Each structure stands twice: as structure tokens, then as C-alpha cells.
Amino acid sequence: QVQLVESGGGLVQAGGSLRLSCAASGRTLTYYAMGWFRQVPGKAQQFVAGINWSGDTTSYADSVKGRFTISRDNAKKTVSLQMNSLKPEDTAVYYCGARARLTELRNIGGDYWGQGTQVTVSS
């Protein structure tokens, strides 16, 4: 069984920063791509950022390029999302997901999901 647990969400003013973390436990996800998605009530889930298993390939939604940075530490079984220059439109529940391949993760979603963490950006 795989567990993904997100942390680091909260309330921040526009222009501020937050760092989200996702810790994996259970079955090893070392060779899985991992990523972040977000969802606003009433809207479809949106891909935010993803990283392949080795960490040498990343993918970002156009809306966050240049502001968000994804990274992973396989030894610690964690993936992080550094979010800078936050905007009110970044407000959402952020989910950590994992899937074998980065392209599939981005286009289809995760095989495994965390429970989500709320990020609220005030104007």
C-alpha cells in the first residue's frame, strides 16, 4: 500500500511564497514520476508540476512556469513544490500524485494520491 501525505499549505498574501512537501511511505515510489495537481471547487483538477523518477526532467503548467519549482529527494522519499510570487488564482487544494511515467502523470493523473492541502492566496 502506498501513502502520500502533503504538508505545507496555508494562507499567504499575494506575492508571497509557500513550500509544499509530499512524503511517500509504503511501497517504494523511487522509480515513479511524481507531481502536483490542484483543484478549485466546481472545476476540473489541473496539472501543476511533475518530475520524473531521477529528477532530471520536469514539467510545468504554463500558468506556473517561472514561479514554481518542483524537486524530489529519493533518499527521503519526498517531493517538494516551491511556490513563489503567488497569485490569488493559485488558491486551490493541492494534491500530490504518483504514476510510473511523467507524460502519463501529466496527461492522465496519478495512480496514487495524497489527501490534499489547502493553499489560499489573499489579494
Side-chain angles (χ1 to χ4, degrees), residues 4-7 36-37 93-96 113-119:
L4 300 176
V5 179
E6 301 97 335
S7 61
W36 293 91
F37 294 73
V93 177
Y94 283 70
Y95 297 89
C96 175
W113 293 102
Q115 83 288 350
T117 186
Q118 176 71 46
V119 171

Side-chain angles (χ1 to χ4, degrees), residues 16-44:
S17 298
L18 280 175
R19 186 176 180 87
L20 304 183
S21 293
C22 173
S25 62
R27 173 184 174 185
T28 180
L29 295 179
T30 301
Y31 298 106
Y32 273 62
M34 297 187 72
W36 293 91
F37 294 73
R38 65 189 182 188
Q39 190 166 24
V40 175
K43 293 190 176 181

Side-chain angles (χ1 to χ4, degrees), residues 47-77:
F47 171 81
V48 175
I51 188 167
N52 72 337
W53 73 271
S54 63
D56 60 4
T57 301
T58 58
S59 180
Y60 295 94
D62 288 344
S63 58
V64 306
K65 280 181 182 177
R67 299 189 297 123
F68 291 10
T69 302
I70 190 170
S71 60
R72 68 187 294 165
D73 185 332
N74 286 338
K76 296 182 179 179
K77 298 181 181 180

